[in-house]
Amino acid sequence: MTESDLIAAARRARTFARAEFSSFEVGAALETSDGVIVSGCNIENATYGLSICAERVAMFKALSEGHRVFRRVAVVADTEAPTPPCGACRQILWEFGGDLEVILANLYRETGRHQLGDLLPLPFDKRLL
Ligand code: THU
């Protein structure tokens, strides 16, 4: 499974986005430690507040299918500027995925690359409970 496969999966997931309210369609794809790809798209609804980002959909899908260890995540939006995970997604990705590699891309090219730990310095997690 190459990085291009992961980005392609995020691009494909994006085509399923339900973004009727923002028109901002996002796809995400997580790679598990055994090379499985689990993808997600953002899903908005009429309350706005119950909308959920592509990254959390991908992570919750993966967890609910029994995946426990992850290597990297790709996030795709149709923008020139990179679309990094929001704060809520950083927290969830960190708690369940650890210091993932985060690959950002648009429809044509990579737009950024980070370690999740750099995007979420001083995280709150179970070690502090
Ligand atoms: N969104 C994501 O799905 N992932 C991100 O990384 C940034 C934002 C979604 C949430 C909402 O449905 C839309 O993009 C606009 O914020």
Side-chain angles (χ1 to χ4, degrees):
M1 215 276 298
T2 67
E3 194 171 295
S4 315
D5 295 331
L6 194 67
I7 293 172
R11 287 188 182 128
R12 176 172 160 74
R14 182 184 162 275
T15 68
F16 303 124
R18 300 295 305 270
E20 286 86 344
F21 301 95
S22 71
S23 297
F24 194 81
E25 298 175 330
V26 185
L30 264 174
E31 181 189 12
T32 71
S33 59
D34 42 4
V36 175
I37 297 178
V38 183
S39 65
C41 61
N42 57 328
I43 303 175
E44 301 178 349
N45 83 317
T47 70
Y48 292 29
L50 292 178
S51 300
I52 183 166
C53 296
E55 296 92 322
R56 272 174 289 154
V57 170
M59 180 56 87
F60 292 151
K61 277 177 63 183
L63 293 171
S64 71
E65 290 166 11
H67 300 291
R68 289 292 178 268
V69 187
F70 304 93
R71 282 189 194 133
R72 49 190 174 175
V73 61
V75 183
V76 166
D78 185 12
T79 54
E80 273 307 307
T83 298
C86 76
C89 289
R90 292 179 198 202
Q91 179 71 27
I92 292 296
L93 291 172
W94 174 264
E95 285 199 46
F96 294 104
D99 193 17
L100 294 172
E101 185 177 20
V102 180
I103 301 159
L104 308 177
N106 62 22
L107 303 192
Y108 311 103
R109 62 179 177 84
E110 183 182 315
T111 53
R113 180 179 296 262
H114 306 273
Q115 286 304 129
L116 186 58
D118 297 330
L119 299 181
L120 190 67
L122 201 62
F124 175 78
D125 58 37
K126 64 186 175 192
R127 295 172 302 182
L128 302 176
L129 291 174

